[in-house]
Amino acid sequence: MKRIAVCPGSFDPVTNGHEDIIRRASLLFDQVIVLVSSNPEKHCVFTPEERVKMLEEVTSKLPNVEVDKDDGLLVDYVREKSASAIVKGLRALSDFEYEFQMALTNKKLMPYAETVFLTTNSDNMYLSSSMVRQIARLGGDISGFVPKCVLKTIVKRLHVADQRKG
């Protein structure tokens, strides 16, 4: 039986931390679906389609990884794809509390799917999409925080977003 995992997130924008978790998940599962999920609590800078495109560029050398988007309930998507696992990256203890609550809720809704937590590489412990957005908007260098193949796209969008506010 093929081991399929779904790696959900907003990826607004994708960071080196995301790339690391996706790459490591691709070593553990036969197929990994990176899922751009909608979160009504977050106001994203990039459209779902733009985030999918960036993730496709970032994962292009990982043959068992595909990228998709969905705005429904995660467990419904996991069930539809016959996945057996949900992969989530953890940076700090504060991430764990929220993700643990989500994992227990998902387990209640779909008992056969497991949530697998991968801890971040120590180089990425402090890294978040919101931090990347803030640094870029203030003119800082984000080249050490995001995959090189999407750096220009991210900088260009955040520069434009910043100009609209002015």
Side-chain angles (χ1 to χ4, degrees):
M1 183 160 102
K2 194 172 185 181
R3 294 170 302 150
I4 302 170
V6 175
C7 186
S10 56
F11 306 103
D12 187 47
V14 60
T15 68
N16 289 340
H18 295 132
E19 180 181 37
D20 177 57
I21 296 296
I22 294 164
R23 182 190 52 75
R24 290 169 43 213
S26 77
L27 300 173
L28 299 172
F29 295 94
D30 300 316
Q31 179 183 5
V32 175
I33 304 168
V34 180
L35 183 66
V36 174
S37 301
S38 294
N39 182 343
E41 303 293 317
K42 293 185 177 183
H43 301 287
C44 293
V45 173
F46 295 91
T47 67
E49 294 76 17
E50 289 169 326
R51 288 179 273 154
V52 165
K53 185 176 183 211
M54 283 190 285
L55 283 159
E56 286 173 341
E57 289 178 53
V58 169
T59 62
S60 65
K61 291 186 168 74
L62 300 172
N64 63 332
V65 174
E66 66 180 78
V67 182
D68 198 3
K69 63 182 173 67
D70 188 64
D71 58 4
L73 196 59
L74 177 60
V75 292
D76 291 339
Y77 184 88
V78 170
R79 189 177 294 113
E80 175 189 318
K81 296 298 181 178
S82 300
S84 59
I86 299 165
V87 174
K88 298 294 290 190
L90 294 177
R91 293 173 305 205
L93 190 57
S94 57
D95 284 349
F96 179 76
E97 287 185 54
Y98 174 78
E99 295 298 348
F100 186 67
Q101 181 181 14
M102 291 301 298
L104 291 175
T105 303
N106 288 336
K107 190 71 168 168
K108 188 78 169 172
L109 293 171
M110 194 171 57
Y112 72 85
E114 296 294 337
T115 298
V116 176
F117 295 114
L118 296 179
T119 56
T120 189
N121 179 308
S122 61
D123 293 342
N124 300 316
M125 280 186 68
Y126 59 89
L127 190 55
S128 69
S129 293
S130 57
M131 183 69 67
V132 167
R133 289 192 308 267
Q134 183 177 7
I135 292 168
R137 282 186 171 139
L138 295 172
D141 178 11
I142 61 167
S143 62
F145 307 135
V146 301
K148 187 176 182 175
C149 62
V150 294
L151 175 62
K152 287 181 183 177
T153 302
I154 294 168
V155 170
K156 182 178 177 183
R157 170 55 59 84
L158 293 174
H159 180 68
V160 169
D162 191 44
Q163 286 179 344
R164 285 187 200 143
K165 289 182 179 180

